[in-house]
Amino acid sequence: MKLGTLIAGAVAACMLAGTAMAQQAQPIVIKFSHVVAPDTPKGKGAEYFKKLAEERTKGRVKVEVYPNSQLYKDKEEMEALQLGAVQMLAPSLAKFGPLGVKEFEVFDLPYIFPSKDVLRSVTGGPVGAGLLKKLEGKGIIGLAYWDNGFKIMSANKPLMTPADLKGVKMRIQSSKVLDAEMRALGALPQVMAFSEVYQALQTGVVDGTENPPSNMYTQKMHEVQKHATMTNHGYLGYAVIVNKKFWEGLPADVRATLEGAMNEATVFANAIAQTENDDAVKAMKASGKTAFHDPTPAEIDAWRKALLPVHKDMEGRVGKDLIESFYKEAAKFGFKN
């Protein structure tokens, strides 16, 4: 074989090797899309996961976080994940109902969690794991549950009793349970993307909404809501989810590292949720733009009595046995439904 041919072959081999190495050096990109502000519990949790994932994989993974519906709105993001346009989301649990996994709407039931201990027992135990498992048929892997907190009612009129919501146009997420909740109070539920709520409140398209305080504050809803009542009537949490095909296609060591990062990010996000909500309430009260009402025990009891019938009404939607399993978790801590 001629020397020139050998040299040419060696050069070609080096070029191919260089190309392969360059391709191998390209980081695995995870696009993490969500609809809330960066300074919410979910926003901070996403950034913490990014930090841990990139550090621990030593550059093999790059996490791109897109907050505030920069990429997709509520109704669009789930389809984008299933198609592989994004790899990771942290949608509110109510969003799995429209996807066809209606059992997740059990989390929307009013006063289903009498304490944080009960919540942790559900999400950290077999009941929560069983619900996440149901997502796999939709091409989704559920990685973790993240808190936002308990919701309060807000409107441009005082909400002292359940009767005060009669005829009030209330924005809700797309959930049959939340629709039933508002109708039980005589309100008029209006399904709307989270990114559109501020303008809708500002222009009077809707009169009020329900949110954890951190969402209300970071979206500046307190600037266009005159009254809020600390009902703490419902829970708003998220499931961090990932495209199944993408996740299972990762190198095993990378996937294990990311699972560890997600576990720590979950502890972090859940730990700050209550503090973020408490701080948001203080800030909104200090602004003087929204008058806050702290209900008495008797008033809370009135809200509970008005809303608890929704549990029975929704048995056919989310499953009587599933609701009973939540009651059993509460019973472990001495609570009765």
Side-chain angles (χ1 to χ4, degrees):
M1 187 177 289
K2 293 181 179 180
L3 180 61
T5 304
L6 285 171
I7 293 172
V11 170
C14 287
M15 290 178 65
L16 285 171
T19 301
M21 289 176 66
Q23 289 176 341
Q24 191 175 12
Q26 290 295 317
I28 299 166
V29 176
I30 297 177
K31 291 184 179 179
F32 190 159
S33 174
H34 65 82
V35 303
V36 300
D39 52 348
T40 57
K42 177 163 64 174
K44 291 182 178 181
E47 290 295 338
Y48 193 63
F49 170 72
K50 168 185 169 69
K51 175 180 179 291
L52 294 179
E54 292 179 349
E55 286 177 355
R56 294 181 181 179
T57 60
K58 296 179 170 56
R60 292 176 68 189
V61 171
K62 180 182 179 184
V63 180
E64 298 175 353
V65 179
Y66 297 91
N68 271 332
S69 304
Q70 287 178 2
L71 290 184
Y72 302 102
K73 293 182 179 180
D74 289 293
K75 292 182 180 179
E76 304 164 347
E77 63 175 10
M78 204 75 79
E79 183 180 2
L81 181 86
Q82 290 175 303
L83 292 173
V86 294
Q87 289 70 47
M88 190 173 287
L89 303 174
S92 61
L93 299 168
K95 291 181 186 171
F96 296 113
L99 186 68
V101 193
K102 59 186 183 299
E103 292 90 343
F104 273 89
E105 290 183 3
V106 68
F107 286 99
D108 294 333
L109 287 170
Y111 296 110
I112 192 68
F113 293 116
S115 74
K116 277 286 181 72
D117 288 335
V118 177
L119 169 64
R120 288 283 171 269
S121 185
V122 169
T123 57
V127 176
L131 285 167
L132 291 179
K133 192 73 176 172
K134 292 179 181 292
L135 298 174
E136 293 188 17
K138 303 295 181 181
I140 294 168
I141 296 286
L143 299 179
Y145 289 99
W146 284 6
D147 280 356
N148 192 334
F150 290 93
K151 295 182 286 187
I152 64 176
M153 297 281 192
S154 68
N156 281 323
K157 59 175 284 190
L159 302 175
M160 307 299 286
T161 69
D164 292 329
L165 271 167
K166 186 174 182 179
V168 177
K169 292 179 291 183
M170 295 288 286
R171 179 266 172 178
I172 61 167
Q173 297 182 79
S174 181
S175 163
K176 296 296 184 183
V177 171
L178 296 180
D179 184 273
E181 169 192 280
M182 289 301 171
R183 294 187 188 280
L185 297 171
L188 305 174
Q190 312 285 316
V191 175
M192 183 177 296
F194 185 68
S195 59
E196 299 170 5
V197 178
Y198 177 88
Q199 187 175 5
L201 291 169
Q202 186 180 43
T203 57
V205 172
V206 293
D207 304 313
T209 187
E210 54 164 17
N211 267 300
S214 64
N215 274 7
M216 185 177 175
Y217 178 62
T218 55
Q219 295 293 319
K220 302 185 187 300
M221 294 179 196
H222 65 292
E223 295 181 354
V224 287
Q225 294 280 264
K226 294 179 181 177
H227 297 273
T229 299
M230 303 294 289
T231 48
N232 294 320
H233 61 282
Y235 172 70
L236 179 62
Y238 310 110
V240 185
I241 58 176
V242 67
N243 177 281
K244 186 173 186 286
K245 184 177 180 181
F246 167 80
W247 191 249
E248 293 179 345
L250 291 172
D253 62 326
V254 170
R255 187 166 60 245
T257 301
L258 292 177
E259 285 172 348
M262 180 56 67
N263 289 338
E264 285 197 32
T266 298
V267 172
F268 169 80
N270 290 345
I272 66 171
Q274 189 61 54
T275 300
E276 294 287 321
N277 282 309
D278 291 344
D279 289 347
V281 171
K282 290 176 185 175
M284 288 188 287
K285 286 181 176 180
S287 76
K289 295 178 179 179
T290 303
F292 279 77
H293 175 61
D294 291 294
T296 65
E299 288 173 334
I300 286 292
D301 191 51
W303 285 98
R304 283 177 54 83
K305 286 180 179 177
L307 287 169
L308 284 179
V310 175
H311 290 207
K312 184 72 174 176
D313 295 343
M314 288 291 106
E315 286 180 353
R317 173 75 180 173
V318 303
K320 182 178 180 180
D321 290 345
L322 181 58
I323 295 173
E324 290 288 346
S325 72
F326 276 53
Y327 292 167
K328 287 177 182 177
E329 295 300 318
K332 293 177 183 178
F333 297 90
F335 295 102
K336 294 181 181 181
N337 285 80

